[in-house]
Amino acid sequence: MLEAITWFFTNLALAFYNFGYAILNPSSWLAWTQGWETVEDKQSLMRLVYYGASVEFFFVLLAIFLIITVIGYFLRDFLWGIVRGLEGALNLIGRVAAWAGLIMVLQQIMIVFLQRIFRVSEISIGPFGTTFTRDLSWYSEELKLYNAMIVCLCVAWTFIQGGHVRVDLVYSAVSHRTKRAIDMAGTILFMIPSLVLIWLFSWFFFWRSMITPATSASDQLDRLLLKARAARWNVETIGFSPNGFDAYFLFKVLILLFAATAFLQGCAFFWRSWLEYREGEMSAGRYLDKDILGDEDAERVAEIH
């Protein structure tokens, strides 16, 4: 037990050093963006792969969360500013991503017309002089990407708007402070840990489709630096059909974006619940940027959910 406590606080203390070192030495993990010619460039990428889902990175995030929470205890306006900033950014991301639904519908209509009426087998796009030609089946399978964008990037926005369906057995019958306590406990015990696990699994799942030799969560930093000598880009472009959509690595990117945005929303929700718990029932929904639906029935349904 004592060893676990010592390990925890040691890593928490080292988080400040690790964060400062990463900020002051960006070339150690970003040099690969400038080129891919030397072993040092490849090693910088391997450091990014390792630290992106490492214990060190987790404790850096934990330290930032604790610092903001402690400052917010004394400066409520500062914490409200953090909450409003996060919710505003996540609302913007969700509202922009939601337009993928319209694009998906228009593209499906275009595919049907071109295939059934004009008997076109492929589409070429070249607005900037470079022609991009793909079979209609490629564009048809691409529709799944738009759907994935809506699912992954609109989760946090839907959470802020109160649009997720919830099973309410006790919540509605308890007091304001009890509700906020339930929200905080649910966020810390269930929401954030599950998103951390999703990130850990998704991180290496993504990089296995981008570079070779393959990386795994069990690889230590020294082993990854050795692999850097043979590292090369190997972006996965395998489709489920001969002429089908072949950029499935984008789905793995969306999984990471889902985990990141939902994690930020979890933090914002915890801080909002904490502030509303401290300030009382009058602060419920304070500064909450909710969409105006313009339909009484739709508004009533949203309130029920």
Side-chain angles (χ1 to χ4, degrees):
M1 183 66 178
L2 181 60
E3 292 181 359
I5 296 175
T6 303
W7 174 85
F8 177 85
F9 284 102
T10 299
N11 280 281
L12 187 61
L14 287 173
F16 298 95
Y17 168 79
N18 293 330
F19 179 75
Y21 184 86
I23 295 298
L24 297 176
N25 299 274
S27 61
S28 64
W29 53 284
L30 285 179
W32 62 275
T33 61
Q34 304 298 321
W36 192 252
E37 300 176 356
T38 66
V39 175
E40 288 74 16
D41 295 335
K42 299 178 180 180
Q43 287 180 342
S44 68
L45 176 62
M46 289 303 182
R47 290 191 186 93
L48 175 66
V49 173
Y50 173 78
Y51 286 111
S54 63
V55 173
E56 292 85 351
F57 183 53
F58 171 79
F59 276 96
V60 166
L61 293 179
L62 178 61
I64 294 173
F65 176 82
L66 293 176
I67 289 173
I68 293 176
T69 304
V70 171
I71 295 176
Y73 179 81
F74 298 100
L75 302 173
R76 294 185 189 178
D77 289 340
F78 165 79
L79 195 55
W80 274 120
I82 295 292
V83 171
R84 295 178 67 185
L86 287 175
E87 290 182 346
L90 295 170
N91 269 336
L92 178 61
I93 292 172
R95 287 163 180 163
V96 172
W99 285 98
L102 177 61
I103 298 174
M104 181 169 55
V105 172
L106 295 177
Q107 184 167 313
Q108 180 65 78
I109 294 172
M110 178 188 69
I111 291 171
V112 172
F113 268 83
L114 291 176
Q115 188 175 37
R116 300 299 180 183
I117 298 177
F118 299 102
R119 300 298 180 181
V120 174
S121 61
E122 62 183 25
I123 301 175
S124 296
I125 302 174
F128 301 106
T130 302
T131 304
F132 180 80
T133 303
R134 287 293 185 273
D135 193 87
L136 273 182
S137 61
W138 189 94
Y139 289 97
S140 181
E141 290 187 14
E142 187 196 15
L143 297 174
K144 293 183 288 186
L145 178 63
Y146 299 133
N147 187 62
M149 290 173 60
I150 296 171
V151 172
C152 294
L153 299 180
C154 294
V155 166
W157 170 51
T158 306
F159 193 102
I160 295 171
Q161 303 301 320
H164 289 296
V165 177
R166 59 192 302 166
V167 179
D168 186 2
L169 301 177
V170 179
Y171 193 83
S172 62
V174 297
S175 65
H176 167 79
R177 290 183 180 273
T178 304
K179 289 179 181 178
R180 301 292 85 81
I182 293 173
D183 290 338
M184 288 187 288
T187 303
I188 293 297
L189 297 178
F190 299 105
M191 184 177 181
I192 290 181
S194 63
L195 291 169
V196 169
L197 288 176
I198 292 173
W199 176 272
L200 293 177
F201 282 98
S202 304
W203 181 254
F204 291 99
F205 182 58
F206 165 71
W207 283 108
R208 280 198 295 271
S209 67
M210 298 297 293
I211 59 175
T212 187
T215 60
S216 68
S218 61
D219 288 340
Q220 297 300 313
L221 180 59
D222 293 340
R223 181 174 176 79
L224 288 175
L225 293 178
L226 288 175
K227 287 184 177 182
R229 297 180 179 276
R232 67 180 187 274
W233 290 110
N234 186 31
V235 180
E236 185 179 71
T237 56
I238 300 174
F240 287 107
S241 60
N243 296 319
F245 186 70
D246 56 359
Y248 279 93
F249 70 93
L250 294 176
F251 290 91
K252 300 174 184 180
V253 175
L254 288 173
I255 296 174
L256 290 174
L257 292 175
F258 154 72
T261 54
F263 177 85
L264 292 175
Q265 173 52 30
C267 294
F269 185 63
F270 175 85
W271 289 324
R272 168 175 285 281
S273 301
W274 187 40
L275 288 167
E276 291 181 358
Y277 177 88
R278 295 177 62 191
E279 296 181 0
E281 191 169 356
M282 295 297 295
S283 67
R286 185 181 180 186
Y287 301 126
L288 191 60
D289 180 18
K290 299 198 69 172
D291 296 335
I292 299 175
L293 302 178
D295 186 321
E296 293 184 2
D297 293 334
E299 295 281 0
R300 188 174 298 109
V301 171
E303 290 178 3
I304 294 173
H305 285 178

